[in-house]
Amino acid sequence: MDTSFRPSGNPFRLMPPSADTDIPAETDTSTDESISPSQAVGRAAGMLHPETGRLPNGDRAALRRIDPDTPVTPTLWKVLFDLEQDESRGMSQTKWEQRWATLLMGMAHCAGLHDYDVPLGQALAEAGWAETRFVRLMEADDETLPVLLRRMAQYLASKQQPANWDDVRRLLFYPSGDTAEDIRLQIARPYYRTLHAKDDD
């Protein structure tokens, strides 16, 4: 087994945990009244839910078709304004929009499957995502990550596998540096822990 990234509740929960000491501190310039990016993931999941969400089927389909390099679609702006995520925080406006476009594209494929209580790594292992694919995802750069995330989202949707899409957000919005490495390790730990548990069964 390739160990390149081997680390030394409620189903479909849409509200973020009240506290998570395993997540690095994020720079957030939002005010107390605004929605944080983490909270926005849960709200987006609620909007996208195929049974209870208020986003029409056509808008969900538009998000699934989104090209992250040119995310010019009325649906993207509609969702970002509703989520109060239309203004960039800590990066260029173009990068902010492209990364939200990629995230919402993946969430639209997995509509109804967001759950803060199921770490992304655990979800991928439970769904049978191959280790070679997992390592490629963890090593992806800005150019290849959106392509791999589309494939990942389509795979999770085919397996009807819930996952914490806030982990995907952090993966997208912290592509390099020490924080990015911490995030990847936090995704990798539950992946390998779940694989190990499967091997022991």
Side-chain angles (χ1 to χ4, degrees), residues 14 38-39 44 61 64 81 129 157 185:
L14 299 181
S38 181
Q39 291 170 325
R64 288 195 297 270
F81 278 112
W129 185 254
L185 287 172

Side-chain angles (χ1 to χ4, degrees), residues 6 11 57 63 81 95 100 110 112 125 131 148 151 167 196:
R6 187 156 190 165
N57 290 338
L63 290 177
F81 278 112
K95 285 184 178 180
W100 267 106
C110 294
E131 185 178 7
L148 297 180
R151 294 174 187 167
D167 286 345
H196 180 73

Side-chain angles (χ1 to χ4, degrees), residues 1-186:
M1 184 167 68
D2 186 338
T3 57
S4 301
F5 276 87
R6 187 156 190 165
S8 29
N10 287 334
F12 311 109
R13 189 155 69 91
L14 299 181
M15 294 299 294
S18 57
D20 190 342
T21 56
D22 206 27
I23 295 176
E26 298 186 11
T27 302
D28 189 349
T29 59
S30 59
T31 65
D32 291 341
E33 292 80 19
S34 66
I35 302 171
S36 74
S38 181
Q39 291 170 325
V41 170
R43 294 202 183 191
M47 292 171 63
L48 287 162
H49 197 286
E51 296 177 1
T52 60
R54 58 185 176 84
L55 209 62
N57 290 338
D59 284 347
R60 285 201 301 273
L63 290 177
R64 288 195 297 270
R65 293 191 302 267
I66 233 169
D67 178 356
D69 290 330
T70 54
V72 181
T73 168
T75 304
L76 175 65
W77 311 128
K78 182 191 303 183
V79 174
L80 290 182
F81 278 112
D82 282 352
L83 297 176
E84 299 178 18
Q85 302 300 312
D86 52 296
E87 295 291 337
S88 67
R89 302 176 191 178
M91 64 179 65
S92 74
Q93 185 69 21
T94 298
K95 285 184 178 180
W96 179 263
E97 291 160 357
Q98 287 173 337
R99 288 170 186 175
W100 267 106
T102 299
L103 179 62
L104 290 169
M105 174 272 295
M107 294 184 71
H109 278 288
C110 294
L113 296 173
H114 168 62
D115 186 347
Y116 282 110
D117 286 334
V118 182
L120 177 64
Q122 175 187 328
L124 290 171
E126 289 178 349
W129 185 254
E131 185 178 7
T132 53
R133 288 184 173 187
F134 180 77
V135 172
R136 197 176 305 128
L137 182 68
M138 293 296 98
E139 293 177 343
D141 58 19
D142 273 355
E143 185 176 346
T144 57
L145 185 57
V147 176
L148 297 180
L149 286 176
R150 184 185 294 274
R151 294 174 187 167
M152 183 200 78
Q154 291 170 336
Y155 183 85
L156 290 175
S158 72
K159 301 293 184 179
Q160 285 294 290
Q161 174 63 55
N164 180 2
W165 276 84
D166 194 44
D167 286 345
V168 181
R169 177 193 65 83
R170 296 190 305 127
L171 189 63
L172 275 166
F173 282 79
Y174 295 88
S176 61
D178 291 342
T179 299
E181 183 65 18
D182 287 342
I183 289 168
R184 281 155 176 76
L185 287 172
Q186 289 171 23

